[in-house]
Amino acid sequence: MTDMNSMELEISLYNWSQLPCRSCESAAHVPGELLRMARARTAEEAEPRDIEFHVLQESWATPTVVPVARVLMAGLADRDVTPEARNQFLDLLWCFLIVDDEVLAQACKDAVRAGTWSLYEEILSGRSKGSALMAYWLVKEVEPAPGRVERLLQVARHMLPEDLFEDD
């Protein structure tokens, strides 16, 4: 039996060749792209080259965004995923939450909500203020307990960019 990380475990749950892709016959190439991104050492390497225009184009998405969101959340739970990749994962997750299809957006919110503690860890880790900010906005969007978000902001305010704008 080989060692499997959390992303690979989540990837293995889906038949990617049966999932739709906007640019290819199927989404069979998406797992390799997600794993490539996770191993990236630079921001340029972490760019989601085969995600944009494949499963997501501006605010239009295929149903493949839902398993991709779950894989990205699994990736955030993996300490070996680089800060550069984490930043891209968080950015993609935010894009998934605001797609035009309300059913897909809600399913992505559910995927993010299921891994909320990974987002809290991202904020509290101090690895990157940019990633912390994106994780904070995701938490704020999906966290059902407003008091927890308020407390998070009290505790972690210094770990977020100074120009954080609160709408409340």
Side-chain angles (χ1 to χ4, degrees):
M1 189 99 180
T2 62
D3 288 338
M4 184 178 279
N5 67 29
S6 55
M7 277 186 75
E8 291 165 331
L9 176 70
E10 189 64 28
I11 286 169
S12 73
L13 297 176
Y14 306 98
N15 183 347
W16 295 90
S17 64
Q18 296 298 308
L19 293 170
C21 176
R22 185 171 170 89
S23 301
C24 303
E25 190 173 310
S26 76
H29 62 91
V30 172
E33 173 68 358
L34 295 168
L35 292 170
R36 180 199 63 74
M37 289 173 63
R39 295 183 199 109
R41 298 289 175 220
T42 67
E44 185 177 313
E45 288 175 1
E47 287 289 322
R49 294 187 290 263
D50 287 340
I51 301 298
E52 295 182 63
F53 303 105
H54 291 263
V55 298
L56 177 73
Q57 184 170 347
E58 295 175 13
S59 63
W60 182 90
T62 70
T64 306
V65 296
V66 179
V68 171
R70 293 174 183 148
V71 171
L72 295 174
M73 289 304 297
L76 291 174
D78 186 341
R79 293 180 190 267
D80 291 335
V81 171
T82 66
E84 294 80 11
R86 290 173 176 284
N87 196 30
Q88 286 295 332
F89 285 12
L90 293 161
D91 187 52
L92 281 173
L93 286 163
W94 181 257
C95 291
F96 294 172
L97 297 190
I98 59 173
V99 296
D100 288 339
D101 184 315
E102 290 181 30
V103 172
L104 293 178
Q106 186 58 52
C108 289
K109 284 181 185 179
D110 292 344
V112 171
R113 190 176 295 111
T116 303
W117 290 111
S118 292
L119 299 174
Y120 281 93
E121 196 280 330
E122 189 68 38
I123 296 163
L124 296 168
S125 72
R127 281 187 292 264
S128 161
K129 282 193 176 193
S131 289
L133 178 63
M134 284 189 275
Y136 173 75
W137 288 118
L138 287 165
V139 165
K140 194 168 163 125
E141 183 70 23
V142 303
E143 176 58 67
R148 190 172 288 131
V149 177
E150 290 170 21
R151 183 66 182 137
L152 173 66
L153 191 55
Q154 291 170 357
V155 170
R157 182 64 188 93
H158 67 287
M159 299 176 135
L160 296 164
E162 288 181 30
D163 62 350
L164 172 70
F165 292 104
E166 281 298 304
D167 54 9
D168 44 357

